[in-house]
Amino acid sequence: MTVFHSLRTRLLVWSSTLLVVALVTFGTWVTYSTWRTRLAEVDRALDVRLVTLTAAVQPASDGAFDLVIPADALPDAERDFYLIWDAHDRLIVASDPDRARERPEAGRARVGDAREHVARLPSGVTILVGRRIDTILAEIARLLLVMAGVGLTALALVIGGNWWMIGRALAPVARIGGTARAMIDGDLSARIPLSQVESELEQLADVLNEAFDRLYASVERQRRFTADASHDLRTPLTILQTETHWALARPRTVEELKASLAVCQRTAARMQTLVQTLLDLARAESADTADGPDRHPCAISDVVTAVVHEVAPLASARGIQVHTGPLPGVVVADAVSLRNAVTNLITNAIQYNVEGGTVHVTSGVTGHTLTVAVRDSGVGLEPHHAARVFDRFYRVDTSRTGGTGGAGIGLATVAAFARSHGGTVGIKSAPGQGSTFMVHLPSLDALPPAHTADRP
């Protein structure tokens, strides 16, 4: 980008152009006003002189006239002059022979370096009075030079001052751009220093810093997601590789091959579950707004009833009873994501419960918020575990990589679903007292009328 395309240069050119226009306008007005004032003074003096000469012309016989001029009315020979023509347009009197010429028309005019007034009397006599104005012209020329000098000095000072002030005004913008460039170069922790930003741009800088924080958090989540997903996929892939290598290393019996294939089948099933959970998490985070095209009014009672029926074999295998209480409330949501979230909550309550325990699923509407609560009779969680249980790949027992242990994504999927639908998640848990997981979502009554009209 050339210097002529920079914002600083354009602002300077615009402000300087406005100043030049203002100076030229002011200088022209001052010069013209001075010229008119001095010329008016000359005109008044010439009018008086013309009246005096008119009174001095006395008609005589045969078209002649006498000229009697009082001594105190004689013109200043250095600057004033007069000419008189008779009725036959013959020049009779000329105070300055160098200015003798044919009779002009009556009126006022500037002739060379003089201002002249011409009057024609009823007798036919024509009188011209004039005054040299070369001193006035010189004065106006000096005034123009002074105005030009003052204007150029003022313009230089203003250009220098504007260049400095525009630079200071645009410095925060440059700092904002520098921060953005630093982030593009990989420094995601760079932030705009609010102490170095003027108050007018502080709000913009604050919003950008908030956006940078969210971007940083998103990138960090993606990094952790990639690292944790790689770690969780590495183990089953290693098992598959080991089992197939063992089976193919030398001839095996049918029983040995069946046992190896069973291990591979379980490992593949685990990988399938992990991949499906990752897809569910991505689906839960892909929703943009609460009025997405795939969202419709969903009754919580229908969703919970279907999920409880679906997980009944899992609960029965562990001797756990799943109870449902009152389930009022309707939300506008992606039906598949809502069902996955409820499934993850109930499955988590079953999976980490005690043998023969219970799970209670209820819902309630408070104000404009619908809350779905899943309470289990498990061992409960320590506070530091409860604070992180909704994080991706977080597992209370980090040594658990098989059995009933999951990949640590289920509850993260629930949290992502709640965020994408304008809601939140929560937990109440204490060691030995079980846990209650809650999802708070905007109820249908809290949404715009357009959604209410879709309610079945």
Side-chain angles (χ1 to χ4, degrees), residues 167-182 190-198 201 205 208-209 212:
R168 282 185 56 86
L170 295 180
V173 179
R175 284 192 285 269
I176 292 174
T179 302
R181 174 58 58 185
R191 295 297 180 270
I192 302 169
L194 297 181
S195 60
Q196 300 179 18
V197 177
E198 280 70 9
L201 294 175
L208 288 175
N209 280 341
F212 294 157

Side-chain angles (χ1 to χ4, degrees), residues 277 307 311 314-315 318 320 322 339-355 357-361 373-381 385-386 388-391 393-397 400 404-415 426-429 434-439:
T277 306
V307 172
V311 301
L314 177 62
R318 302 199 61 205
I320 294 174
V322 179
R339 182 162 179 163
N340 287 338
V342 174
T343 300
N344 283 326
L345 284 176
I346 298 178
T347 301
N348 181 80
I350 294 172
Q351 205 168 30
Y352 296 102
N353 210 327
V354 295
E355 294 289 339
T358 58
V359 174
H360 294 271
V361 185
V374 179
R375 177 169 55 87
D376 63 55
S377 58
V379 296
L381 295 172
H385 288 310
R388 296 192 56 195
V389 74
F390 288 103
D391 293 346
F393 296 100
Y394 183 79
R395 288 170 293 200
V396 175
D397 184 4
R400 193 184 323 176
T404 60
I409 308 178
L411 293 179
T413 303
V414 175
I427 180 175
K428 293 181 181 178
S429 184
S435 303
T436 301
F437 293 88
M438 297 163 288
V439 178

Side-chain angles (χ1 to χ4, degrees), residues 33-280:
S33 298
T34 303
W35 165 254
R36 295 303 303 174
T37 300
R38 297 304 304 275
L39 201 60
E41 294 175 356
V42 172
D43 286 339
R44 285 194 295 270
L46 291 177
D47 286 339
V48 172
R49 182 76 60 191
L50 186 60
V51 170
T52 302
L53 288 177
T54 300
V57 174
Q58 302 296 326
S61 60
D62 300 329
F65 60 88
D66 294 328
L67 182 63
V68 181
I69 303 176
D72 59 351
L74 291 174
D76 184 352
E78 292 185 0
R79 59 173 183 166
D80 294 331
F81 59 91
Y82 64 89
L83 304 173
I84 301 177
W85 291 265
D86 63 9
H88 302 289
D89 297 336
R90 291 174 299 185
L91 181 62
I92 304 301
V93 179
S95 64
D96 185 355
D98 293 335
R99 296 184 182 272
R101 63 181 188 273
E102 295 181 355
R103 182 186 66 83
E105 296 295 329
R108 298 178 178 181
R110 174 187 167 188
V111 179
D113 62 345
R115 178 72 168 174
E116 297 178 351
H117 287 199
V118 180
R120 192 172 182 87
L121 305 181
S123 61
V125 175
T126 302
I127 302 175
L128 179 151
V129 293
R131 174 173 290 185
R132 295 175 57 185
I133 58 173
D134 50 349
T135 56
I136 298 177
L137 294 174
E139 179 183 344
I140 296 300
R142 288 194 299 271
L143 178 61
L144 286 174
L145 289 176
V146 171
M147 294 292 294
V150 172
L152 291 175
T153 302
L155 182 62
L157 292 175
V158 170
I159 289 177
N162 281 352
W163 183 263
W164 178 76
M165 287 191 298
I166 293 173
R168 282 185 56 86
L170 295 180
V173 179
R175 284 192 285 269
I176 292 174
T179 302
R181 174 58 58 185
M183 295 192 68
I184 292 175
D185 293 339
D187 184 10
L188 298 182
S189 62
R191 295 297 180 270
I192 302 169
L194 297 181
S195 60
Q196 300 179 18
V197 177
E198 280 70 9
S199 58
E200 290 80 0
L201 294 175
E202 184 175 351
Q203 184 177 3
L204 172 62
D206 190 50
V207 171
L208 288 175
N209 280 341
E210 183 179 352
F212 294 157
D213 289 338
R214 292 186 178 183
L215 176 62
Y216 180 77
S218 177
V219 172
E220 285 299 308
R221 285 197 302 269
Q222 292 298 329
R223 288 175 178 173
R224 291 197 303 270
F225 178 85
T226 302
D228 294 339
S230 300
H231 177 271
D232 275 79
L233 287 172
R234 188 181 299 114
T235 299
L237 288 173
T238 301
I239 293 174
L240 285 175
Q241 185 178 21
T242 302
E243 284 295 324
T244 54
H245 178 75
W246 178 85
L248 296 174
R250 61 181 179 83
R252 304 290 182 183
T253 64
V254 174
E255 288 73 13
E256 290 175 334
L257 290 176
K258 285 183 177 182
S260 179
L261 288 174
V263 172
C264 292
Q265 184 181 38
R266 289 194 300 271
T267 303
R270 181 184 172 196
M271 289 182 62
Q272 183 180 19
T273 300
L274 177 60
V275 171
Q276 183 59 47
T277 306
L278 291 174
L279 291 175
D280 292 341

